[in-house]
Amino acid sequence: MKMSHPVVGLRRSRAGLSSSPAMLKEPAVRAGFLAGMTIVRLAETFGVMDHVMHDYVYARCEQWRASEKRGIREDARRIVVFSRHGREGGGYDVRPISLPRITMHVKAIDERTGRAA
């Protein structure tokens, strides 16, 4: 006899959950997603409905994964871009360039990486 998972079919109360992604902070959602949090857990943490979080993450997850590989880190206060600087004798150093998280820098990074704003 096949048993279903006890959580399948469990409906959570929608009272108090937002149906809009307007108040979500992208750096915090990105950090949680890249750390391995599930969509359901992210939705609970940020107080939105599951489908809202799914749509929000789905629209951005490829860019988030790509930016991790390119060496761009963001939080609520700053954007850190890791750049390679060649040495005279060969090889290179990776140096962090810290930028304040202002609209001008966010737009420039978005244009450079092809990320949707």
Side-chain angles (χ1 to χ4, degrees):
M1 182 163 75
K2 191 173 186 178
M3 299 289 290
S4 65
H5 191 277
V7 178
V8 174
L10 178 65
R11 299 200 139 236
R12 293 183 300 132
S13 170
R14 292 177 181 243
L17 296 179
S18 175
S19 62
S20 170
M23 298 302 288
L24 293 175
K25 303 294 183 198
E26 185 173 341
V29 175
R30 180 187 319 111
F33 176 76
L34 293 173
M37 289 178 73
T38 65
I39 299 294
V40 173
R41 181 74 177 123
L42 286 168
E44 289 173 358
T45 301
F46 292 98
V48 297
M49 292 183 197
D50 295 351
H51 73 276
V52 172
M53 184 59 73
H54 176 271
D55 294 346
Y56 186 84
V57 170
Y58 183 77
R60 295 165 177 80
C61 66
E62 291 302 318
Q63 290 87 11
W64 292 345
R65 288 181 180 131
S67 70
E68 285 293 300
K69 292 178 184 171
R70 277 194 294 272
I72 300 171
R73 304 283 189 272
E74 296 181 57
D75 64 24
R77 293 181 31 220
R78 70 181 69 86
I79 300 170
V80 180
V81 179
F82 294 89
S83 64
R84 295 179 180 178
H85 294 276
R87 295 182 188 169
E88 288 182 20
Y92 61 89
D93 292 324
V94 177
R95 297 181 186 166
I97 300 171
S98 182
L99 305 168
R101 186 175 175 80
I102 59 175
T103 306
M104 178 181 73
H105 293 149
V106 171
K107 286 182 180 178
I109 293 291
D110 289 347
E111 289 173 7
R112 181 176 170 196
T113 61
R115 185 171 68 188

